[in-house]
Amino acid sequence: MITVAQVIVDVAAYPVDRPFDYSVPAEMTQIIEIGSRVKVPFGPRNVLGFVVAIKNETDVPLEKIKPVSQLLDFEPVLTAEMLELAKWLKNETICYEIDALQVMLPSALRAKYEKIVNLQTDIEVLPRALQEVFRTAPHVNLNVFEKNNLLTELKQALNNKQVSIENIVKQKGKVKEVRKVQITQDVQKLMEIHQQISNRAKKQKQLVEWMQNHAGEVITPEVIYKEAGTSSQVLKSVVELGAAAFVQEEVFRDPFAKEVQKTKFLSLTDEQSSALNQIMAAIDDKQPETFLLHGVTGSGKTEVYLQTIAKVLSKGKEAIVLVPEISLTPQMTERFRSRFGEMVAVMHSGLSVGEKYDEWRKIHQGKVKVVVGARSAVFAPFENVGIIILDEEHESTYKQEDSPRYHARDVALWRAGYHQCPVILGSATPSLESFARAKKNVYKLLTLKDRALKQSLPKVEIVDMRDELKKGNRSMFSQSLVESIHTRLEKNEQIVLFLNRRGYSSFVMCRDCGTVLQCENCDISLTYHRKNEKCKCHYCGYEIHVPKTCPQCQSDHIRFFGTGTQKVEEELAKLFPGARVLRMDVDTTRTKGSHEQLLQAFGDGEADILLGTQMIAKGLDYPNITLVGVLSADTSLHLPDFRAAEKTFQLLTQVSGRAGRHEKPGEVVVQTYTPEHYAIELSQAQDYEPFYEREMHMRHHAGYPPYYYLALIQVSHEDVLMAADYAGKAVEWLRSQLSFKVSIIGPTASGISRLQNRYRYQCLLKYKVEPDLIPTLLQLIKIYRSNWIKKGINLTIDLDPNMI
DNA sequence: AGCACGCCGACT
DNA sequence: GTCGGCGTGCTC
């Protein structure tokens, strides 16, 4: 009897986005399982694949069937649930099945491909240049030839069958290793070597002498440098002489570097216990119910999560907690670790590939029962999930921006259905979609109106910057804000200043002709960075020095405009000379861990003012913060996005929540040019429901979610005409296929009409219920993939886009 | 996607 | 005559 494995191969392309049948060699039949990774021959090369089914017959002619060449996992890496979820994702987000499978695994388990050139004949028959390369070994990585410019010679040798090229599959993830030095056991040999070394090489002699006393030991190079008083150069020479050898030794990453103090349950308010009881009931009844936990900032949502998790754990089940990447601070994760100790795994982008792999393995092997992580943690390979929690449910980071374009909330709901467990969506400012569902009783609404410690919400003052301008105040600080800052500085309390920078960064302009420095590849003005006097494109990374004269008119009246954090920092220094300011933006948080360090420093009182962009809006919870200033509330309001008002309201509410979370009362100053806008007005009292009503009305009027679903189709090409032409073709085709109930808007040029030298057009579909939509879009993708792709067109479909 | 096969123009 | 351009088609 033949055993056949159906394999999804690691090739993201339309014609191969289906299972291929492979025969399973006899020695593998007992151990191969669904969800295992395998190496398989595919056409002329070898690729990685996932076993999605095992059966005993096949429709494929036997002569076509090749055998699996290697089984990579003794334990399958994907469960049956994940394979099913991948199929759902493929259809739901229109992506390749392989992409859906890969996104569920840590990148360490993905494949790395290399090409190896094998020598097939005697080395002497080769041209000189090639002989050099093969001198050390008969198998050489192809990139060595590329580096040495030997591709022509290599091609020749290939034609003459003197060498062959082999595709090999490697694992990306590796066990962490350190380089150590193994000193030879043979003292005699060390003495011989000592003899050989010329008397001029004093350091080398010294090192070998030292080695004679440490024969056979394995030591790190650093220790040797220190003890023998040598350098890496000397050690290298001595190793070449054969006195010692470099070896790799495995070490294990220590995830729990610091012990945490266990904490106990906090007592709950009536609102909290009522919410908790309802969730507990759903857990007991194994109901896949979705709860929307709507609680003002500081109302103690986290404590509800913690006690829910305790309940789930007591039932022997596991819990998944999702938080937005940006608020995944040590402060947040500490709370979970301090309650559940070593039962917790943490997953976020700050971890190295290896660390992520280690955390994933802890989940996979059942060593932990709780995972706290960003978006991708929704795929945590638990097999008995008891609860899934999405904190800050409205955050746009829960949607992945590239393929597979999934939303963690949708995946969570799917998994909850599979495991028959509840989901908690928590937020102070729920997304309109979720709140609308709660109103329609699709989700169960749980409300926490009061702050847990009964602190009053901070007093919010809205300052009309137009009045300031009339008063002759042209700075970016209103009089009121300046006064408030002074007061706090005197009282030694802390201040957070928030600069809503999106689309409002510094640019460089010529004052004579008005030319603004633009990116060469994108239709975007360059952002000025004072630190290195450079102008940078935030989309493609293009960078130039600030020119001395205008490239258009050669005038030297060239200067930068706009309000970046750096500029605010300078002005702060002028206004408050003694104040210690910490700046947090992309520039100061680039390196790993710097984000945490800065927050820690601020928490420890090392600065008076924290100045930053979006990234400081969340998770910041220090008792000494009593003033929050929003420098320009409206910048996010005027973005060409139907969610602009919602985003602004969320942001202002979120930021205001940073002040006065503990004993000291908080104050918030919001500066704006449009104080009459409802998003700003209603954020003053953190009045969610009135805002919800207003905004829903707008959405209804304009035909946006949650009343309609959206699909965004983007077409790009190096040539404007081609991009426009094919965007038109796509729209034309969709019009002919879809019913009149779907409104098709476009094609129009995208918000950023050129990115990385590609012109971009888009078209927006609005629809209510349209069963034919997905199949029609799949058809469009088919047309694109079979014909348009060759012409250099790039087409993407984003269902439920975040931004338009 | 990547790679081989295969059919036409410009060179040793 | 051969080398190499890239159009076409297949991958279990």
Side-chain angles (χ1 to χ4, degrees), chain A residues 542-606:
Chain A
Y542 171 80
E543 204 178 60
I544 53 161
H545 271 285
V546 179
K548 292 260 182 305
T549 56
C550 169
Q552 281 295 310
C553 69
Q554 272 68 46
S555 148
D556 54 3
H557 289 144
I558 190 159
R559 54 161 296 183
F560 65 90
F561 285 83
T563 315
T565 43
Q566 299 173 0
K567 210 181 159 202
V568 179
E569 193 180 16
E570 283 164 28
E571 212 164 302
L572 274 173
K574 271 186 229 153
L575 280 168
F576 312 100
R580 295 162 302 164
V581 179
L582 257 187
R583 180 164 60 90
M584 236 173 118
D585 58 23
V586 264
D587 284 335
T588 60
T589 56
R590 203 180 311 271
T591 53
K592 189 183 165 183
S594 54
H595 187 243
E596 288 76 18
Q597 275 169 19
L598 282 173
L599 285 179
Q600 188 64 47
F602 188 65
D604 293 346
E606 285 172 32

Side-chain angles (χ1 to χ4, degrees), chain A residues 96-247:
Chain A
Y96 299 118
E97 198 164 340
I98 187 68
D99 283 342
L101 291 167
Q102 302 260 36
V103 80
M104 300 176 181
L105 295 172
S107 59
L109 289 176
R110 284 177 213 163
K112 195 176 127 192
Y113 297 96
E114 273 177 17
K115 288 178 177 175
I116 299 294
V117 183
N118 293 321
L119 183 59
Q120 300 282 316
T121 67
D122 281 343
I123 192 162
E124 284 78 22
V125 297
L126 289 175
R128 263 284 150 75
L130 292 183
Q131 285 190 24
E132 277 307 311
V133 181
F134 283 109
R135 182 130 308 149
T136 43
H139 318 288
V140 180
N141 200 312
L142 181 70
N143 58 37
V144 174
F145 294 88
E146 275 172 50
K147 255 190 230 140
N148 294 319
N149 246 333
L150 292 169
L151 289 181
T152 342
E153 289 85 349
L154 183 67
K155 177 86 194 188
Q156 278 285 311
L158 201 59
N159 286 346
N160 297 339
K161 303 248 186 303
Q162 292 161 334
V163 297
S164 66
I165 292 183
E166 188 187 2
N167 291 287
I168 65 159
V169 186
K170 275 196 168 176
Q171 269 215 44
K172 255 193 196 160
K174 42 181 196 277
V175 200
K176 193 174 175 184
E177 288 182 332
V178 286
R179 197 175 71 143
K180 287 196 171 185
V181 179
Q182 163 125 49
I183 299 163
T184 177
Q185 194 81 56
D186 189 349
V187 184
Q188 194 67 38
K189 191 173 171 194
L190 284 173
M191 286 165 82
E192 277 167 30
I193 291 169
H194 190 259
Q195 292 281 312
Q196 284 170 25
I197 299 172
S198 98
N199 282 324
R200 289 170 59 200
K202 264 170 77 183
K203 282 279 183 187
Q204 291 186 30
K205 278 204 182 270
Q206 187 188 327
L207 178 57
V208 176
E209 278 160 29
W210 181 86
M211 281 181 169
Q212 286 173 15
N213 296 320
H214 295 83
E217 290 179 27
V218 180
I219 310 168
T220 61
E222 290 70 29
V223 172
I224 296 181
Y225 304 151
K226 218 170 142 201
E227 298 215 346
T230 54
S231 66
S232 63
Q233 251 323 300
V234 179
L235 179 62
K236 205 177 144 210
S237 320
V238 172
V239 167
E240 269 164 26
L241 290 168
F246 287 118
V247 291

Side-chain angles (χ1 to χ4, degrees), chain A residues 731-738:
Chain A
V731 168
E732 204 177 293
W733 190 83
L734 287 170
R735 285 231 162 86
S736 71
Q737 299 293 312
L738 293 167

Side-chain angles (χ1 to χ4, degrees), chain A residues 25 28 32 37-41 49 67-73 169:
Chain A
M28 272 183 222
I32 199 164
R37 292 171 310 145
V38 286
K39 268 190 219 174
V40 290
V68 170
S69 50
Q70 198 187 338
L71 180 62
L72 290 168
D73 303 301
V169 186

Side-chain angles (χ1 to χ4, degrees), chain A residues 271-288:
Chain A
E271 283 179 341
Q272 283 175 315
S273 11
S274 151
L276 186 63
N277 288 338
Q278 295 185 58
I279 299 166
M280 297 260 206
I283 293 171
D284 282 331
D285 300 345
K286 296 188 179 141
Q287 282 300 313

